[in-house]
Amino acid sequence: VALLGVASWLMFRNKTTEGTQTAKNSLGIEWYDENGKEFTITTVEELYEFGELSYHYDFAGQTIKLGADIVVNEGDAADWVDVMPEREWESIYGFAGTFDGQGHTISGIYCNGFLYQTNKWRVMGTDHVTAGLFRNTQKECVIKNLKLVNSYFYSDLNSGVGSISSYGGGTFDSIYTDAIVISEKLYVGGIMGRATADTTITNCWFDGSVEVVGGYGRYTGGILGRADSKTKCKIEHCLNS
């Protein structure tokens, strides 16, 4: 009887442990392990969780893969100038890992850069959310094999706006985007707004529109808005149409 009792208790304990097992990260997001090396996301929810995780992790030494096409918002991005769609995007922060689109497409991103006075996430005091799929990127990052279509990015900030990265550095390879990029200030580019760190952009095609409204209109380009004077920047085999 004692042996049967112990066996029953062990079975119950194992089932309980399995049922309450938590994810290995500070936010409890199931698919991400802070000690892992490679992860694949396939849904809108996981894409937004990726953005949420970026305020706690920079993904250095890790690879995030896109395992399917993801539609964030339906409709025509050109209409979002006047009417905001269902979901708003706040951008992936401080990315230092590898993001491999594996030839898949992200569509329907709506991102509006803004200022806020808060201690939101790990960013303290007065800060801004710049407009881009990635809010800012570190020089170690790699973003590749990606299509970004039917998307809209707007900013009235001086920090930069670009459909892939608003500012920072990194390697950008084999990316196609037809996004609408609009700014009222400086550093506006189809792929990247401002290169503040070493940057390489190769085999990329910007097929969207860049527009600067208001009185600034400086540092604007189809691929890159500006490379700061001390950065190492290489752009080759790219098309701006």
Side-chain angles (χ1 to χ4, degrees), residues 172-176 201-205 235-239:
F172 305 83
D173 181 61
S174 301
I175 298 170
Y176 171 87
I201 305 174
T202 56
N203 307 310
C204 291
W205 179 5
I235 301 174
E236 60 182 8
H237 309 305
C238 290
L239 173 65

Side-chain angles (χ1 to χ4, degrees), residues 58-79:
D58 63 11
F59 303 97
Q62 297 180 319
T63 298
I64 310 295
K65 292 184 176 181
L66 196 59
D69 295 345
I70 293 178
V71 179
V72 177
N73 288 294
E74 301 282 357
D76 188 345
D79 297 333

Side-chain angles (χ1 to χ4, degrees), residues 39-225:
F39 312 91
T40 300
I41 60 176
T42 59
T43 66
V44 173
E45 291 73 22
E46 289 173 341
L47 181 64
Y48 272 76
E49 288 172 345
F50 178 24
E52 189 176 359
L53 283 162
S54 73
Y55 288 88
H56 299 263
Y57 304 97
D58 63 11
F59 303 97
Q62 297 180 319
T63 298
I64 310 295
K65 292 184 176 181
L66 196 59
D69 295 345
I70 293 178
V71 179
V72 177
N73 288 294
E74 301 282 357
D76 188 345
D79 297 333
W80 301 339
V81 177
D82 302 310
V83 181
M84 178 181 167
E86 179 182 356
R87 293 188 179 97
E88 186 169 9
W89 180 249
E90 285 198 8
S91 305
I92 297 159
Y93 177 76
F95 186 65
T98 295
F99 183 72
D100 185 356
Q102 299 193 112
H104 289 294
T105 300
I106 296 174
S107 66
I109 292 283
Y110 172 85
C111 186
N112 194 336
F114 61 92
L115 289 168
Y116 56 76
Q117 301 276 343
T118 185
N119 62 345
K120 184 175 182 180
W121 305 113
R122 67 181 181 193
V123 185
M124 305 298 290
T126 302
D127 198 42
H128 53 264
V129 174
T130 50
L133 179 63
F134 290 81
R135 170 180 168 176
N136 63 308
T137 48
Q138 300 187 40
K139 65 180 181 181
E140 299 84 4
C141 89
V142 176
I143 300 171
K144 61 183 181 179
N145 306 325
L146 176 67
K147 296 178 182 177
L148 176 65
V149 302
N150 191 41
S151 295
Y152 173 90
F153 300 89
Y154 167 85
S155 177
D156 62 357
L157 306 173
N158 283 326
S159 300
V161 51
S163 67
I164 304 300
S165 175
S166 56
Y167 71 94
T171 298
F172 305 83
D173 181 61
S174 301
I175 298 170
Y176 171 87
T177 171
D178 66 1
I180 297 169
V181 181
I182 301 174
S183 175
E184 293 188 17
K185 296 292 176 63
L186 311 175
Y187 315 123
V188 192
I191 301 294
M192 187 178 196
R194 182 181 184 184
T196 59
D198 294 353
T199 299
T200 299
I201 305 174
T202 56
N203 307 310
C204 291
W205 179 5
F206 180 67
D207 193 27
S209 64
V210 170
E211 180 181 1
V212 179
V213 296
Y216 282 78
R218 296 163 57 199
Y219 311 127
T220 302
I223 301 296
L224 174 68

